[in-house]
Amino acid sequence: MKKKIALVTGGFTGESVISLKSAAVVEKTIDRERFDVYKILVYPGDWHFICSSGEKIPVDLNDFSISIGDEKIKFDGVFNILHGSPGEDGKLAGYFDMLGIPYTTCDQLTSAITMNKGYTKAIVQDIPELNVARSIQLFENSPENASKIQVQLTLPLFIKPNNGGSSIGMSKVKTWEELAEALEKAFAEDKQVLVEEFVSGREFSIGIFKGKGRITVLPATEIVSSKEFFDYEAKYVPGVCEEITPGRMSEEEVERVGRIVTKVYEKLNCKGAVRIDYFLQHETGKFYFIEINTVPGQTETSLISQQVKATGKSIKEFYTELIEEMFV
């Protein structure tokens, strides 16, 4: 019997556009000889499946099922490709946990923690060989913030919304005069803001996943941006960035990075495929943790897709491993 898989996409944030693109790739690539796939669109107050006839079938939220004609379809598992809320922040994971339905991504607690950059850094910062930039986490845009930041941190600074992974609302601040506007921009996106010292280094992003019972570290992608930092435009507008996979690292760096990111994956109790962004500092080569993305993009040009192909594995095999792992 083929397993019935719900491919969950859409979402409550601006990242739903990317989620739909990722879902389109997963839908056409997944092994149809092993799995029956149903694309479930999740929007506020509107969870549905669209039949081949174009009919919109609502999802029964009591048991996460759909009824097509006289047939009630219950799912064996969920391939979660919903970026942002509620797919990446733990809300969907908690719902599926209550229903006893397995899913391909991290559990509720890990998903919730890793959406918060400040909390994630606090958990991983004592991992050997891992460094984090000095930072302050702000919980409101109060007038005292500027003096507190000036006392504790040194320019230049990165100001970013603490939750989410799309890089919207990020700024680089080089003078104290720019600080107020940057804080306002970040607080417009989130109730919490992270202010951290700028680390000068080569930027990389690396995929790690668990399949066939073991953790695999993929070849890292080096990101060479024509912009000052890897913001929303650099991530999603073609031609703004050069992405080199595998990235240019020495053997020692490849081994060290692999050791560190495996420890991050284990310490945060990750499941499925995640992507970790990091710097190798220019002067020292030290590893600086930036953030972790627990529902990384799966479009044809996404970093994870590039990295899987660089190992010689097909994307179809990769998806099969992710799906089979959730039933273990």
Side-chain angles (χ1 to χ4, degrees):
M1 281 286 288
K2 289 201 276 187
K3 282 193 159 51
K4 291 183 171 62
I5 304 297
L7 174 62
V8 174
T9 183
F12 298 180
T13 71
E15 290 185 78
S16 63
V17 181
I18 310 299
S19 179
L20 292 170
K21 287 181 178 177
S22 291
V25 172
V26 176
E27 189 178 24
K28 75 176 186 194
T29 310
I30 216 161
D31 191 341
R32 296 303 181 120
E33 289 180 12
R34 296 186 192 215
F35 311 110
D36 284 328
V37 181
Y38 298 80
K39 185 161 73 179
I40 304 293
L41 295 131
V42 173
Y43 296 111
D46 180 18
W47 297 32
H48 64 270
F49 168 75
I50 297 173
C51 284
S52 52
S53 64
E55 187 190 351
K56 187 172 160 181
I57 308 284
V59 174
D60 183 344
L61 296 180
N62 293 299
D63 58 2
F64 192 66
S65 67
I66 54 174
S67 295
I68 301 175
D70 295 333
E71 188 189 5
K72 184 179 173 79
I73 294 163
K74 297 183 84 171
F75 302 107
D76 297 300
V78 172
F79 195 115
N80 176 19
I81 195 62
L82 198 156
H83 310 312
S85 187
E88 200 167 359
D89 57 5
K91 294 185 178 83
L92 267 188
Y95 167 68
F96 292 134
D97 284 342
M98 288 193 293
L99 294 175
I101 301 171
Y103 45 91
T104 52
T105 45
C106 297
D107 68 19
Q108 189 270 329
L109 181 62
T110 297
S111 300
I113 288 170
T114 53
M115 275 297 271
N116 187 304
K117 298 179 179 81
Y119 295 164
T120 305
K121 285 173 70 169
I123 290 169
V124 302
Q125 65 184 2
D126 63 348
I127 289 174
E129 305 177 288
L130 180 147
N131 299 275
V132 294
R134 287 200 308 161
S135 63
I136 296 175
Q137 198 166 336
L138 302 174
F139 297 91
E140 59 179 340
N141 195 9
S142 70
E144 298 80 50
N145 286 340
S147 56
K148 187 161 71 172
I149 292 165
Q150 288 183 41
V151 167
Q152 294 185 42
L153 301 178
T154 307
L155 291 169
L157 300 170
F158 268 134
I159 318 288
K160 44 181 136 173
N162 197 34
N163 293 293
S166 64
S167 308
I168 297 170
M170 269 175 74
S171 305
K172 185 178 178 182
V173 167
K174 297 175 185 175
T175 68
W176 294 119
E177 289 72 33
E178 297 167 344
L179 183 60
E181 190 186 337
L183 288 173
E184 212 164 285
K185 184 179 170 185
F187 272 110
E189 296 297 328
D190 193 9
K191 293 189 180 79
Q192 292 181 34
V193 165
L194 193 66
V195 181
E196 60 186 12
E197 289 185 345
F198 173 67
V199 175
S200 173
R202 294 178 290 140
E203 187 163 355
F204 295 86
S205 193
I206 191 164
I208 310 101
F209 74 98
K210 194 167 186 188
K212 296 184 175 173
R214 66 174 187 275
I215 296 170
T216 299
V217 178
L218 295 167
T221 299
E222 185 175 354
I223 293 149
V224 184
S225 178
S226 58
K227 299 202 73 178
E228 271 203 272
F229 57 92
F230 197 42
D231 64 1
Y232 187 86
E233 186 188 350
K235 275 184 181 174
Y236 298 122
V237 177
V240 176
C241 268
E242 184 187 2
E243 295 166 356
I244 304 164
T245 309
R248 297 166 296 188
M249 292 194 292
S250 67
E251 266 183 57
E252 184 277 329
E253 287 169 337
V254 170
E255 283 177 23
R256 176 160 49 95
V257 167
R259 265 197 311 276
I260 296 167
V261 297
T262 299
K263 286 277 191 299
V264 171
Y265 191 98
E266 291 171 336
K267 183 149 197 182
L268 291 169
N269 189 32
C270 293
K271 305 276 192 313
V274 306
R275 208 188 68 232
I276 293 171
D277 299 338
Y278 64 94
F279 287 120
L280 292 180
Q281 193 177 30
H282 280 313
E283 313 82 62
T284 64
K286 285 180 177 176
F287 178 107
Y288 273 83
F289 176 86
I290 303 173
E291 65 180 31
I292 183 168
N293 185 322
T294 58
V295 185
Q298 297 288 348
T299 67
E300 265 127 354
T301 56
S302 289
L303 301 181
I304 289 266
S305 306
Q306 293 178 38
Q307 293 168 13
V308 169
K309 288 172 192 165
T311 67
K313 188 192 293 284
S314 75
I315 303 295
K316 184 186 279 189
E317 287 174 87
F318 172 59
Y319 292 160
T320 297
E321 285 189 31
L322 293 183
I323 292 167
E324 288 181 341
E325 187 65 28
M326 72 171 156
F327 296 118
V328 173

